[in-house]
Structure formats: C-alpha cells, structure tokens
Amino acid sequence: VSSCAAQVDIKRAELGKAAIVVPNGWTKSNDGNERINVTSPDGLQQVTFSIVKYDVAPSFADFKRLCSHRLEAEKAQASDITIESDAPFEDAGSFGMFFSGKEASSGRLFSGFVTQKGVEGHTIYLESIGADSKSHLGTFEAFVKGFTRR
C-alpha cells in the first residue's frame, strides 16, 4: 500500500491480523495504526476500517456490551437518526454484529460491521451521502465479503 499520491489504487488495507479488499479507484484519505479511511471515486462514500487491541480477549458478554455502547454512540450523533441492528453473534471463535441507519436531515446512510476475535476488535464502517441505498448496501456487502483474518 503506497502512501504517495492520492490517486494510487489500493488493493488491500491491513490493520493487525485483518485486512479488507479495497476496490480499484478508491483513494486513501487517512492511514494510521488504528484507522484507515478510503473514499470512493465519486466522493459519495467513505469506509473507515479500524482496530482496537485489548490486553485480554473480551468475552461474548463483554462484546455485547461493547456493541450496545457503539449503537448508543451512533444514536447520539444526531436527533434524527434511525438505526437497525442484528443481534450480536458468535461464530467459529469470533464475535460480530451488523448495523445500518440513516440521518434524515443530511440523508447520510451508514452501515457497520463490528467483529472481535481474541484481543483484536475490527470495525468496517461505511458512510454515504448522496448515494442511493441500493448502491450503499452493495458497497457495504463488498467490503464485508472482502474482510479476512490471518
């Protein structure tokens, strides 16, 4: 992954022991040890891929509490946010939760996938302004399908 010119095509973005596949044409707008942002070619969508490392691996009960706090933080962003989430789940030694929502006043759509395995927690968070919901959900699905762990 090159951090030079803003128009460099990115194939993968890695944080810790996980990575996402990034479509050609998307550009890196932030790159760090805990968060990477990539923006769509038309500028209407941005994905934040982030990591949190813990000293001790959270239990499933801990993960559910973290998810609850995340949803409350989303709701606190604006008074006109609607949000839907699936129940947190456990699968093959990892935990996960999906959520999506909309901020009515700005038309901002957002979707997130929060996942935990061992001491690493990752989030894929897509925000879209000016993109239709079908495009938004298709983009989100592509990023989630491109998520891998080593």
Side-chain angles (χ1 to χ4, degrees):
V1 176
S2 174
S3 60
C4 299
Q7 294 301 316
V8 172
D9 282 347
I10 303 169
K11 301 298 182 209
R12 290 171 50 87
E14 296 184 18
L15 288 173
K17 295 180 180 178
I20 56 172
V21 174
V22 180
N24 287 336
W26 285 61
T27 55
K28 189 177 1 173
S29 54
N30 179 45
D31 188 4
N33 293 330
E34 297 178 349
R35 184 182 74 197
I36 297 170
N37 294 94
V38 291
T39 304
S40 64
D42 61 9
L44 299 178
Q45 298 180 314
Q46 177 177 283
V47 167
T48 301
F49 179 48
S50 60
I51 184 173
V52 176
K53 293 184 180 182
Y54 300 97
D55 292 332
V56 177
S59 67
F60 187 55
D62 294 333
F63 178 77
K64 290 194 289 188
R65 278 192 297 280
L66 291 168
C67 290
S68 177
H69 292 306
R70 175 63 190 249
L71 294 173
E72 290 304 316
E74 289 293 336
K75 291 175 187 173
Q77 295 295 314
S79 61
D80 62 345
I81 285 183
T82 56
I83 189 167
E84 294 182 16
S85 65
D86 292 342
F89 60 88
E90 188 171 2
D91 180 43
S94 65
F95 311 138
M97 182 192 72
F98 291 95
F99 65 92
S100 287
K102 180 177 183 176
E103 183 178 348
S105 59
S106 67
R108 177 177 72 96
L109 302 173
F110 58 91
S111 295
F113 173 53
V114 181
T115 183
Q116 178 79 39
K117 184 166 185 171
V119 297
E120 288 189 354
H122 291 88
T123 300
I124 299 170
Y125 185 79
L126 171 66
E127 293 181 279
S128 301
I129 297 180
D132 64 80
S133 59
K134 185 176 180 179
S135 171
H136 173 87
L137 292 174
T139 299
F140 182 65
E141 181 180 3
F143 274 95
V144 171
K145 282 184 176 180
F147 176 78
T148 56
R149 285 193 175 99
R150 289 186 266 128

